[in-house]
Amino acid sequence: MAMERELLRHLVKKPATIIYPFESPEPIEGTRAKVEIDILKCIGCGTCIHDCPAYALEMVGKGLTCDMKWYPGRCVFCGQCVESCPRNAIKQTAEHDLATTESVESAGMMSERFVEFNRPKKE
Amino acid sequence: MDIIKWARIKSPWVFHFNAGGCNGCDIEVLASLIPRYDIERFGMILRGSPRHADVMLLTGTVTRQIKDRLIRIYEQMAEPKFVMAIGSCAMSGGVFQNCYSVYEGADKVIPVDVYVPGCPPRPQAIIDGAVKLLQKLAAGK
Amino acid sequence: MSNSTYKVPIGPQHPALKEPENFLLTVDGEEIIDVKIRLGYVHRGGEKAFENRTYVQGLYLIERVCGICAMAHQLCYVNNLEPMMDVEAPPRAQYIRTIVAELERVHSHLLWLGVAAHEIGFDTLFMYCWRDREVSLDLMEMITGNRVLHAANTIGGVRRDLTADMISKTRKGIALLKKRTEYYKKLVLAEKTILKRALGVGILSTKDAAELCAVGPTARASNVKKDVRKDDPYSAYDEIPFNLITYDLCDVASRVLVRVDELIESANIIEYSLDHLPTGPIGVRAPRSIPPGENVSIVEAPRGEDIHYCKSNGTDKPERYKVRAPTLGNWASMAKMLIGGYVADVPITLAAIDPCMSCTDRVAFIDANSGKNWIWSTEQIKKYSKKNGGR
Amino acid sequence: MIIEILKLLIIPGIFFLFTLALFYQWLDRRFLARLQNRRGPMHTGSHGTLQPLADFIKLLAKEDIEPEAVDKPVFRGVPILLSTISITALFFIPIWGVKAFVHFEGDLIFMTFLMTLIAILAFLGGWSSTNRFSTIGGLRAAMQTLGYEVPLSLAFIGPAIVAKSLSISKIVEWQASTGIWAIILNPLGFGIAIIALLAELEKVPFDLPEAETELVAGWQTEFSGRKLALLRFAFDLELVLAAGLITSLFLGGPAGPFYNIPWVGVIWFFIKTTIVVLILSNLRGLFARFRIDQMVSGCWKYLVPLAIIQIIFLQLVLG
Amino acid sequence: MLSDISKEQEIVNNLKDKFGDKIIEAKVQSARRVFVTIDSKSLIKVTKFLAKEKNYTHVATISGLDLVKNLAVIYHLREYHSKEQFITLSLKVEVAKDKPKLPTIITIIPGAELYEREVHDLFGIVFEGHPDLSPLILPEHWPSGVYPLRKEYKLEDIKTKIEKVKK
Ligand code: SF4
Ligand code: SF4
Ligand code: SF4
Ligand code: SF4
Ligand code: SF4
Ligand code: SF4
Ligand code: SF4
Ligand code: SF4
């Protein structure tokens, strides 16, 4: 009977459903999602790359002139890079919707796709 | 045939296959069924038999041991069929990249239609992946 | 073998198993007379990977041994490394670790309750349990930054501090969960259909449990008083009073009850830790490499004891890292529980020890009697069924 | 003649039944979702009303795989027969007025026969698939019949005794003319019929033949595409059939104020069946699945004696 | 650690008294952690003594170890029944890499069966007397003689080796 009462109670209650994507749940502070690198702060020390457990970061070039690549398909969103960076150049935003349908002929495309952070080049 | 296309978009039944993941993705796939997220809103029902399903929710690293199973299950699904690779394991191997017993990415084994990054992707992200798949269907194919 | 016995393969892909494993049941009508198991589908070669990762990278690799007791594994990992590095996490960090570990137990047990309900076809209860589980996931996301794989620890402490706001939110969430848990307990005891499916099913006597080295709630439901948190306290458990829950029915019902009671117990632990949260730093700096040495650490994961062994060689990568996760300790007991039961009871019996294979798979075990390693393909099954008259 | 054909096609007819079947599937899913604090299908048509239609069309358009090992003629025949039988059975239910489209003395017996046939078809469907899960599912369907068949028939006899006729239409007529619904004299019979019909429909707590966690999708595992569409459709029709039967036998069918005006009768019928469907979904959310031995023995231990008590009671009251 | 380690010391002393120079090294690392290294020849005797007389009947797991020249096997034993003592005793034996043979302990502790097979799979240590040492977790088509956790195999080597066998 306890169950039946519970069932009927829910008839009058509003469903717990959040009609995502038409309505978003309350954001929780500090959730870890998309990685963003402020390339102007980066000094190219390589600590983040050294510590990343999923090989999701890559440096193009060296030191102060380097650019960075981030592979969303490899990243496990652990936040170690944020932790490691001595210059606080990396942060994680709350953007979760990173899914993609773009097809590329070559197999293993998702691990090859990356977001590139480029330093503005001096003329 | 517009009506068929409409029906397909409105009724994607899913089937969950764990190819060797860590559980993280699997519980999040299940979590997308629960009241908070409720993917039945889109007409998505979780089926136990691959023959009934349109979309395979593939989670986890594809291990060498399970590869043949995966291909067989994929073949059992009736056309038209789609595959959603969920989690970084299914996309690239995630932290298990370069382990001797895994394939680095499910798309080395079967064709994949949607990729959902995350480890594990939260239910919203999975829904987002599903919606993007449906949009892709609506746009063509 | 008479004609009336036939074999039912469960897995590697089966709805009752969240993960690919293969069971082969020999059944007579609806009754099970033999069980064979083949694991190995989730073997990813993680232990070798440890030798190629730094200790920092290992933090995240160890979490991904399993997505449900991630915190337990990580805790075991840092507990293992910290004495070797001769650092000690400050008290506040120890308390936060305890809180997260217990939140994980709450989420894991609620998840389990829901899955168990689902296995007996009680989807409504599944929905309710998982809805309430979201509360604990939200709390964990708030405290650690992620719902499932938390990355809460660093070597030498924890990553994020608890703010006053978080503490009050956690209190609220825990109070709600406690209320719900009490309701579930009432429900489990009152609902005839649940009891009918759980009482007297999957018996594992106290003697068998001890002999087959069962661990965790499975052992405690068979009245074996064993809990690493009490016996070998780590983190802040030696300062926190809590009860060790045992039941003596030795069946699925008592496994349910042990978990439900542990839920309440965990909630109490969290409340106590919040009340007694020490002040101070949340971490100390740890070196990147470890002098040569070895250590063993044990942690009570939601499903039982988790044991890690580490050998270091002076560099920043381990020489050897070995993991034995909880479910493996319960495999031997499982076969014992299944034999003599009904096919319809397989899912709930399996669910009752909460088997998650991803961690177990280092050690796959096949058949205790013949030890022959074989998997049945669909074709073989079909052939077999023809040979046996297809009945 | 033309009116007859129109009737066959439209009002109690196939089109009407088709819509009703899909509507009740939607209602069932939405209601259950609400009980579970969810929303259920909502993005297909207004409030998801077109969801069952979309499912149906999609399945029709999907590839139809016939596994190598199946017994082809049976495997193909089962879905077709199943939906035909369900439709046929529905013509015995009075919807438009108190007389059904087809009626004769003893059609209640024929109805029970049809319902048994449905269970047998489920068994055949599972057996012809030659898949382990399907076979066990089929066997369970057959075993389950042993359990609920007798109490179901006994429960149906109650109204028949009251109305002194074995024709569904006559029973409805009697209830309409006297204004007494059979449920008043048959409260136990009503309950038993609901439970037994839940078993007939293979719904929780009696969804053993397709218990997902044990048997993948039970006897339906190997069916795909068109065949699955027909199977599901047949089950939707059966839901209408079950609700219609209960309405006719216990709740007076289309009877109600002004039921003589044709449309009003249909509306009464509709309201009553909806209530029955809601009761069925509610029960679906309330229980855990039984085990097959518990189910069969439970039926014999509790339902049969209760049904007999009900009949004895009727005899005493009327006799 | 200031905790009381007399129990741990006691078991170490017991072992030392009983087996003398067969015990190569024995130390109490911290509370409830005891590490003992013994001569491989006396493995059976020591385990029997521990299991029969000291009640160490629970084997938590068996770890393999590659020491480059030698291989080592560590038995993590524990007393199961008593509540006060929760000592994990890690019993280490070393064997030569070119002749990796050890007697099985499953006659004394049956629960060790699977763990021994695992070590055999990953390190190639042969447990004499074990009823069945067929591959346990490695995938099908695994090249024979490749033991992935030995140091001489680098990750990449293993991969190429597997690929070769497949073709
Ligand atoms: S850890 Fe730091 S110092 Fe060492 S190699 Fe990496 S970036 Fe250089
Ligand atoms: S979040 Fe983790 S996995 Fe992702 S880039 Fe940073 S360190 Fe690498
Ligand atoms: S750690 Fe920071 S500064 Fe160093 S390379 Fe990475 S982003 Fe740049
Ligand atoms: S201030 Fe920071 S970035 Fe600069 S040298 Fe020191 S540690 Fe490196
Ligand atoms: S992507 Fe992450 S959560 Fe998902 S299976 Fe892999 S390791 Fe686990
Ligand atoms: S049985 Fe099916 S619905 Fe249930 S948890 Fe498993 S896969 Fe999901
Ligand atoms: S079985 Fe699991 S824990 Fe073991 S190596 Fe593989 S992934 Fe890692
Ligand atoms: S028992 Fe293993 S697989 Fe299961 S939750 Fe725990 S660590 Fe994960």
Side-chain angles (χ1 to χ4, degrees):
Chain A
M1 268 305 107
M3 192 71 200
E4 178 65 48
R5 218 170 322 132
E6 186 81 4
L7 283 182
L8 296 179
R9 219 161 52 79
H10 283 110
L11 270 188
V12 286
K13 231 167 103 176
K14 194 168 167 289
T17 313
I18 296 162
I19 323 175
Y20 191 82
F22 305 107
E23 115 193 358
S24 290
E26 254 177 65
I28 292 177
E29 214 177 301
T31 96
R32 297 193 308 262
K34 191 175 175 186
V35 171
E36 277 178 6
I37 302 169
D38 183 348
I39 199 72
L40 291 177
K41 280 192 195 163
C42 171
I43 52 168
C45 69
T47 318
C48 53
I49 294 163
H50 185 80
D51 281 350
C52 174
Y55 312 108
L57 292 167
E58 199 184 330
M59 204 191 292
V60 188
K62 250 203 223 141
L64 280 167
T65 56
C66 73
D67 292 332
M68 299 283 279
K69 282 179 182 175
W70 171 65
Y71 295 83
R74 295 185 192 168
C75 181
V76 294
F77 304 96
C78 61
Q80 179 60 44
C81 49
V82 180
E83 198 82 349
S84 298
C85 181
R87 284 305 182 92
N88 290 329
I90 308 185
K91 66 174 196 288
Q92 282 186 293
T93 64
E95 190 183 338
H96 291 283
D97 306 341
L98 303 169
T100 163
T101 57
E102 264 170 65
S103 59
V104 170
E105 281 86 42
S106 66
M109 51 126 309
M110 195 55 206
S111 54
E112 305 311 326
R113 161 118 33 80
F114 49 81
V115 178
E116 191 149 9
F117 300 92
N118 288 321
R119 246 174 245 276
K121 294 279 174 292
K122 282 191 214 110
E123 288 308 308
Chain B
M1 289 295 268
D2 265 359
I3 181 143
I4 290 177
K5 200 162 126 188
W6 169 81
R8 257 176 211 158
I9 294 166
K10 293 299 185 188
S11 161
W13 291 1
V14 299
F15 165 75
H16 172 210
F17 187 94
N18 179 342
C22 78
N23 275 339
C25 285
D26 310 278
I27 55 177
E28 290 295 60
V29 165
L30 277 189
S32 56
L33 295 178
I34 61 166
R36 167 97 68 102
Y37 305 104
D38 191 23
I39 51 170
E40 202 192 346
R41 286 182 292 131
F42 300 98
M44 300 171 98
I45 318 178
L46 195 65
R47 303 296 301 195
S49 165
R51 294 213 192 281
H52 298 186
D54 308 287
V55 182
M56 180 197 276
L57 305 177
L58 180 67
T59 58
T61 46
V62 179
T63 59
R64 286 181 190 276
Q65 179 80 322
I66 207 148
K67 177 189 159 209
D68 297 340
R69 290 266 160 187
L70 173 60
I71 293 175
R72 187 151 59 226
I73 296 274
Y74 181 69
E75 278 163 1
Q76 275 182 13
M77 290 170 70
E79 289 284 353
K81 53 191 169 189
F82 310 97
V83 177
M84 256 169 95
I86 292 176
S88 53
C89 279
M91 273 183 287
S92 63
V95 290
F96 297 100
Q97 283 170 68
N98 78 27
C99 287
Y100 57 82
S101 194
V102 305
Y103 287 91
E104 292 175 350
D107 46 12
K108 300 223 161 73
V109 180
I110 54 170
V112 174
D113 297 274
V114 192
Y115 300 83
V116 187
C119 182
R122 41 177 42 230
Q124 281 115 296
I126 296 175
I127 293 175
D128 174 60
V131 169
K132 282 186 176 145
L133 174 69
L134 299 180
Q135 279 167 356
K136 178 182 172 185
L137 289 186
K141 168 137 189 188
Chain C
M1 194 175 288
S2 80
N3 253 2
S4 65
T5 67
Y6 55 97
K7 310 214 165 202
V8 186
I10 296 202
Q13 200 51 44
H14 185 275
L17 299 170
K18 300 299 163 295
E19 289 147 273
E21 295 307 327
N22 194 336
F23 296 79
L24 193 76
L25 311 176
T26 308
V27 299
D28 184 357
E30 291 259 339
E31 202 185 321
I32 300 161
I33 52 181
D34 198 13
V35 184
K36 291 180 202 298
I37 306 163
R38 164 68 161 118
L39 307 179
Y41 290 90
V42 202
H43 178 73
R44 293 167 294 197
E47 283 187 2
K48 185 76 181 176
F50 272 110
E51 297 170 12
N52 293 274
R53 306 280 201 278
T54 61
Y55 289 111
V56 174
Q57 289 175 322
L59 264 178
Y60 307 102
L61 188 58
I62 194 73
E63 271 195 311
R64 282 158 184 83
V65 163
C66 163
I68 305 177
C69 359
M71 179 65 191
H73 278 296
Q74 214 184 31
L75 198 52
C76 202
Y77 182 80
V78 294
N79 280 347
N80 207 350
L81 299 188
E82 280 167 7
M84 295 170 81
M85 293 178 168
D86 213 14
V87 298
E88 201 177 344
R92 190 173 172 91
Q94 300 286 20
Y95 268 78
I96 295 177
R97 282 178 182 177
T98 311
I99 291 169
V100 179
E102 288 306 317
L103 269 176
E104 182 176 78
R105 197 179 312 278
V106 168
H107 119 77
S108 170
H109 280 358
L110 274 176
L111 169 136
W112 177 82
L113 194 61
V115 170
H118 173 81
E119 303 300 7
I120 54 170
F122 202 165
D123 277 344
T124 314
L125 186 54
F126 164 76
M127 293 290 177
Y128 289 171
C129 286
W130 279 56
R131 180 196 61 198
D132 297 336
R133 174 176 160 268
E134 286 292 311
V135 175
S136 67
L137 289 180
D138 281 351
L139 291 180
M140 279 194 292
E141 181 169 359
M142 181 183 72
I143 296 174
T144 69
N146 205 349
R147 288 159 52 88
V148 176
L149 296 170
H150 322 296
N153 295 303
T154 57
I155 301 170
V158 292
R159 193 181 278 174
R160 297 189 182 180
D161 200 1
L162 279 176
T163 61
D165 182 41
M166 285 178 181
I167 292 175
S168 73
K169 276 194 186 140
T170 313
R171 280 223 170 83
K172 241 186 260 156
I174 290 299
L176 176 73
L177 283 174
K178 232 171 157 177
K179 216 175 82 210
R180 295 297 301 173
T181 312
E182 265 145 26
Y183 167 73
Y184 290 133
K185 183 165 184 189
K186 209 174 78 197
L187 187 70
V188 169
L189 292 175
E191 265 319 302
K192 283 262 157 33
T193 42
I194 304 179
L195 279 184
K196 260 211 143 80
R197 292 299 303 272
L199 273 176
V201 169
I203 299 270
L204 179 73
S205 68
T206 311
K207 189 168 148 288
D208 286 339
E211 237 161 50
L212 298 169
C213 304
V215 293
T218 311
R220 291 197 283 278
S222 292
N223 208 9
V224 176
K225 291 192 178 51
K226 238 179 83 117
D227 189 329
V228 182
R229 290 176 293 171
K230 276 262 189 258
D231 301 332
D232 190 2
Y234 51 94
S235 293
Y237 285 109
D238 47 352
E239 296 166 19
I240 300 173
F242 67 98
N243 299 323
L244 198 153
I245 312 283
T246 53
Y247 274 83
D248 55 3
L249 291 172
C250 306
D251 57 3
V252 173
S254 61
R255 277 163 225 148
V256 176
L257 290 172
V258 164
R259 284 189 170 91
V260 172
D261 281 359
E262 276 185 10
L263 273 173
I264 298 176
E265 214 48 54
S266 292
N268 289 340
I269 295 177
I270 295 172
E271 278 175 351
Y272 181 93
S273 323
L274 288 175
D275 289 342
H276 296 78
L277 196 63
T279 48
I282 56 161
V284 293
R285 276 190 74 89
R288 282 193 168 249
S289 46
I290 300 183
E294 56 187 350
N295 198 11
V296 170
S297 70
I298 312 167
V299 153
E300 179 80 13
R303 286 156 190 77
E305 119 192 1
D306 181 17
I307 170 165
H308 289 190
Y309 167 80
C310 177
K311 182 167 170 55
S312 58
N313 55 7
T315 65
D316 60 348
K317 292 176 181 164
E319 167 101 9
R320 171 90 171 94
Y321 204 87
K322 153 101 188 169
V323 179
R324 204 272 349 237
T327 302
L328 181 63
N330 285 330
W331 274 117
S333 327
M334 196 217 56
K336 182 100 194 162
M337 294 178 208
L338 285 179
I339 292 175
Y342 292 91
V343 175
D345 285 336
V346 172
I348 182 69
T349 312
L350 281 183
I353 70 161
D354 206 348
C356 345
M357 288 75 177
S358 63
C359 60
T360 313
D361 238 15
R362 241 164 329 94
V363 184
F365 98 77
I366 299 150
D367 163 29
N369 309 315
S370 78
K372 228 176 107 219
N373 172 357
W374 44 289
I375 315 166
W376 281 46
S377 63
T378 329
E379 297 80 67
Q380 276 172 308
I381 294 158
K382 278 178 188 144
K383 248 186 250 151
Y384 184 89
S385 61
K386 285 213 183 87
K387 216 166 62 203
N388 277 287
R391 264 252 144 181
Chain D
M1 191 57 210
I2 290 170
I3 291 177
E4 290 289 284
I5 289 172
L6 269 183
K7 259 190 170 175
L8 179 66
L9 282 179
I10 305 181
I11 256 307
I14 292 166
F15 178 73
F16 178 71
L17 293 177
F18 183 84
T19 323
L20 209 58
L22 295 184
F23 173 74
Y24 281 141
Q25 194 205 339
W26 171 82
L27 187 71
D28 181 40
R29 277 167 74 174
R30 281 292 280 207
F31 188 71
L32 188 66
R34 271 317 284 269
L35 290 180
Q36 296 177 343
N37 208 355
R38 297 184 290 133
R39 287 197 184 252
M42 63 181 291
H43 299 310
T44 315
S46 157
H47 292 93
T49 28
L50 295 182
Q51 188 61 53
L53 185 68
D55 287 351
F56 186 66
I57 297 176
K58 180 211 69 180
L59 281 176
L60 279 184
K62 225 170 141 58
E63 186 195 13
D64 191 352
I65 301 178
E66 276 180 8
E68 290 265 306
V70 301
D71 187 341
K72 295 236 165 52
V74 185
F75 190 72
R76 285 184 194 149
V78 165
I80 300 171
L81 272 177
L82 207 57
S83 32
T84 339
I85 290 177
S86 310
I87 290 211
T88 318
L90 270 167
F91 286 121
F92 291 94
I93 307 284
I95 300 172
W96 184 274
V98 292
K99 281 232 181 313
F101 190 70
V102 187
H103 57 93
F104 51 84
E105 187 57 44
D107 57 11
L108 186 58
I109 304 287
F110 188 63
M111 178 66 87
T112 22
F113 165 70
L114 286 182
M115 298 194 102
T116 318
L117 212 56
I118 291 174
I120 290 175
L121 280 174
F123 166 70
L124 278 179
W127 185 72
S128 69
S129 314
T130 61
N131 168 311
R132 296 282 106 190
F133 301 124
S134 310
T135 315
I136 297 184
L139 276 174
R140 281 193 182 172
M143 262 167 88
Q144 192 156 290
T145 331
L146 297 181
Y148 68 79
E149 193 72 354
V150 175
L152 185 64
S153 318
L154 287 177
F156 283 173
I157 287 175
I161 294 176
V162 177
K164 300 199 171 49
S165 164
L166 274 176
S167 158
I168 300 171
S169 299
K170 288 260 174 58
I171 295 173
V172 173
E173 232 176 314
W174 181 85
Q175 293 180 69
S177 59
T178 56
I180 304 170
W181 292 0
I183 186 175
I184 296 167
L185 293 165
N186 276 295
L188 273 179
F190 176 74
I192 292 164
I194 290 250
I195 292 171
L197 282 173
L198 218 49
E200 165 83 32
L201 289 169
E202 298 180 3
K203 290 202 186 258
V204 178
F206 304 108
D207 63 339
L208 302 146
E210 43 186 312
E212 193 211 358
T213 45
E214 296 154 30
L215 301 173
V216 185
W219 63 272
Q220 303 175 6
T221 306
E222 295 287 338
F223 291 91
S224 56
R226 268 194 305 282
K227 300 195 184 74
L228 186 64
L230 278 181
L231 282 184
R232 284 177 60 88
F233 181 53
F235 271 99
D236 293 346
L237 282 174
E238 264 188 69
L239 178 62
V240 182
L241 176 66
L245 255 180
I246 300 255
T247 310
S248 311
L249 293 180
F250 294 97
L251 304 176
F258 310 111
Y259 73 92
N260 282 327
I261 308 166
W263 279 109
V264 177
V266 175
I267 289 168
W268 281 121
F269 178 83
F270 181 72
I271 292 173
K272 288 174 191 169
T273 36
T274 306
I275 291 170
V276 176
V277 169
L278 292 183
I279 293 177
L280 288 173
S281 336
N282 181 298
L283 289 177
R284 201 147 83 85
L286 191 55
F287 291 115
R289 182 187 308 129
F290 288 109
R291 218 165 53 200
I292 187 82
D293 57 323
Q294 291 170 344
M295 188 266 162
V296 175
S297 70
C299 278
W300 283 96
K301 255 198 236 140
Y302 303 109
L303 292 192
V304 175
L306 282 180
I308 292 173
I309 290 172
Q310 173 71 61
I311 290 177
I312 294 172
F313 168 78
L314 277 183
Q315 294 293 7
L316 292 179
V317 171
L318 300 176
Chain E
M1 286 271 168
L2 290 172
S3 35
D4 170 32
I5 52 169
S6 59
K7 288 236 173 64
E8 289 81 343
Q9 208 61 56
E10 185 191 325
I11 185 83
V12 168
N13 292 343
N14 275 341
L15 279 172
K16 277 195 177 146
D17 292 349
K18 176 103 187 172
F19 295 101
D21 59 346
K22 296 287 187 302
I23 309 286
I24 296 168
E25 197 195 344
K27 62 168 191 270
V28 179
Q29 176 143 333
S30 58
R32 296 178 293 272
R33 300 281 183 280
V34 180
F35 287 82
V36 179
T37 312
I38 56 164
D39 187 12
S40 68
K41 296 207 183 59
S42 52
L43 171 65
I44 291 292
K45 268 192 233 132
V46 174
T47 355
K48 214 174 235 161
F49 168 75
L50 283 172
K52 296 275 143 63
E53 274 159 57
K54 293 284 160 200
N55 222 347
Y56 279 73
T57 51
H58 177 79
V59 51
T61 187
I62 302 177
S63 313
L65 200 57
D66 187 339
L67 303 172
V68 186
K69 262 199 261 109
N70 287 340
L71 292 173
V73 177
I74 308 172
Y75 299 83
H76 303 280
L77 301 173
R78 181 167 330 123
E79 208 184 10
Y80 195 78
H81 296 284
S82 88
K83 266 155 268 156
E84 317 83 59
Q85 272 173 289
F86 199 81
I87 302 172
T88 306
L89 190 146
S90 304
L91 194 67
K92 190 199 279 179
V93 288
E94 288 185 20
V95 284
K97 209 174 216 174
D98 47 351
K99 230 174 48 260
K101 285 207 174 101
L102 272 180
T104 176
I105 61 159
I106 63 172
T107 42
I108 307 161
I109 306 173
E113 179 182 349
L114 300 168
Y115 302 122
E116 287 192 352
R117 286 181 67 180
E118 179 203 5
V119 174
H120 173 254
D121 254 22
L122 300 176
F123 286 92
I125 290 170
V126 179
F127 291 91
E128 289 174 319
H130 194 289
D132 166 45
L133 284 172
S134 57
L136 187 64
I137 40 165
L138 294 178
E140 291 154 65
H141 319 296
W142 188 263
S144 64
V146 173
Y147 303 111
L149 286 188
R150 285 202 190 175
K151 290 288 178 199
E152 61 256 40
Y153 298 105
K154 295 269 165 309
L155 267 183
E156 300 74 36
D157 296 355
I158 301 176
K159 268 205 162 159
T160 45
K161 284 218 170 73
I162 303 174
E163 300 300 333
K164 247 186 245 151
V165 171
K166 280 229 153 151
K167 273 161 208 158

